[in-house]
Amino acid sequence: MLAGGRSAEHEVSLASGRAVREGLQSAGHEVLWVQIERDGAWHHEDRRLSVCPGEGLLGVDVVFAALHGPFGEDGTVQGMLETLDVAYVGAGVAASAVCMDKVLFKQLMGAAGVEQVEYVGVREQRCRCSSSRRTWARRSAS
């Protein structure tokens, strides 16, 4: 079980992780808790973990990552787990990365023929410029 993480959703991830851990344990599974701190350090039973490509993670069969936001839900941890040769639950690296970029995801779904409601995509860098230079792009449903 991976929980915590570097994102602003750290506490939400810990709560999600605890709920998933309880469910897995009540179903008879052994669950090892790995907490990712706000600074990105990984801990298990009060000791900092070091990871090495191809060497797995604490001998587990599969990882359930209850992580939210960047540095966890965006494909980065999934990529690290793949480097460690550890199986994990959920979407892979590419799908996770695409789904974090909501505008890109909507564009890909639209290109695949999935109908879209009208939406406006705003990029953070555009919001930081002066109001006289702000540009907004409206995307139609077609």
Side-chain angles (χ1 to χ4, degrees):
M1 170 64 53
L2 288 178
R6 294 176 52 195
S7 82
E9 299 176 72
H10 179 87
E11 294 300 325
V12 173
S13 171
L14 292 176
S16 297
R18 285 189 290 271
V20 171
R21 177 180 60 189
E22 289 172 16
L24 290 171
Q25 288 173 329
S26 70
H29 298 282
E30 179 184 354
V31 179
L32 299 181
W33 182 266
V34 175
Q35 184 163 320
I36 303 175
E37 305 299 338
R38 291 183 187 277
D39 67 359
W42 292 34
H43 286 92
H44 170 67
E45 296 180 348
D46 296 324
R47 73 178 168 95
R48 187 179 181 130
L49 295 177
S50 294
V51 294
C52 187
E55 292 188 0
L57 180 65
L58 299 172
V60 301
D61 296 320
V62 65
V63 168
F64 192 114
L67 299 169
H68 300 285
F71 307 109
E73 191 178 6
D74 61 354
T76 55
V77 169
Q78 293 85 344
M80 183 171 176
L81 292 171
E82 289 186 13
T83 300
L84 297 173
D85 291 333
V86 176
Y88 56 89
V89 173
V93 176
S96 297
V98 166
C99 288
M100 280 296 289
D101 185 328
K102 305 310 184 216
V103 173
L104 175 60
F105 179 76
K106 290 182 78 54
Q107 290 170 342
L108 290 172
M109 293 298 101
V114 177
E115 290 188 36
Q116 301 291 307
V117 298
E118 196 168 312
Y119 65 96
V120 175
V122 179
R123 298 285 182 197
E124 181 180 6
Q125 60 270 25
R126 289 188 178 171
C127 292
R128 290 186 179 177
C129 61
S130 70
S131 60
S132 63
R133 294 182 49 208
R134 283 195 185 137
T135 57
W136 304 90
R138 178 168 296 278
R139 303 284 184 221
S140 68
S142 56

